[in-house]
Amino acid sequence: MRKTDKKMDKALVKALTEVCDIALKDYDGFEWVTHSVNYNNFPESLSVVCVFDTNEQLERTDLGGIYTLINEKLLSIGIKLNDIRRHVDFDTEENCAVENNGNWKERFN
């Protein structure tokens, strides 16, 4: 990873940590957020995953608010995405437990 990539990744982690802190307070069942990125194709390759505890909690959530929150935090560090919805996915602990025996590493591969 180049020095500039490391700097961007650090800023990205900080911004997504802020997203997580806000979402934990504002969205029932929100658990955590993660991301993956290939800096050779950045920002197009950026993928953010928001994880909720249960499918029911995810279904009751206003996803528009989460998209807006993530987009605002990314813009604050200079990352402008044309369509935030292409870069953000949602999942649940419930789905991972059923489909991958709770193994997130396996689920993300």
Side-chain angles (χ1 to χ4, degrees):
M1 192 183 296
R2 298 175 303 224
K3 189 175 182 178
T4 55
D5 296 342
K6 287 181 183 179
K7 200 172 180 181
M8 178 53 70
D9 200 60
K10 186 175 179 179
L12 189 52
V13 167
K14 184 175 186 239
L16 291 176
T17 298
E18 291 173 9
V19 166
C20 188
D21 291 343
I22 293 167
L24 283 167
K25 288 184 254 175
D26 293 351
Y27 297 96
D28 183 44
F30 181 89
E31 294 285 323
W32 50 281
V33 65
T34 191
H35 76 286
S36 64
V37 64
N38 174 351
Y39 282 103
N40 292 324
N41 187 27
F42 182 78
E44 291 79 17
S45 66
L46 178 62
S47 175
V48 177
V49 179
C50 298
V51 178
F52 282 75
D53 188 28
T54 68
N55 292 326
E56 182 182 342
Q57 289 166 322
L58 177 56
E59 288 168 12
R60 289 192 321 241
T61 299
D62 170 24
L63 299 182
I66 294 179
Y67 286 125
T68 300
L69 174 62
I70 293 170
N71 199 48
E72 287 173 355
K73 292 298 179 183
L74 294 179
L75 283 171
S76 77
I77 59 169
I79 300 173
K80 184 177 185 318
L81 301 171
N82 290 331
D83 182 5
I84 189 71
R85 294 171 194 273
R86 284 189 34 239
H87 297 271
V88 179
D89 291 307
F90 297 89
D91 206 344
T92 65
E93 293 283 356
E94 181 178 355
N95 285 342
C96 184
V98 170
E99 298 168 15
N100 301 91
N101 292 326
N103 185 336
W104 281 100
K105 186 175 180 179
E106 175 185 296
R107 188 163 181 83
F108 287 140
N109 285 332

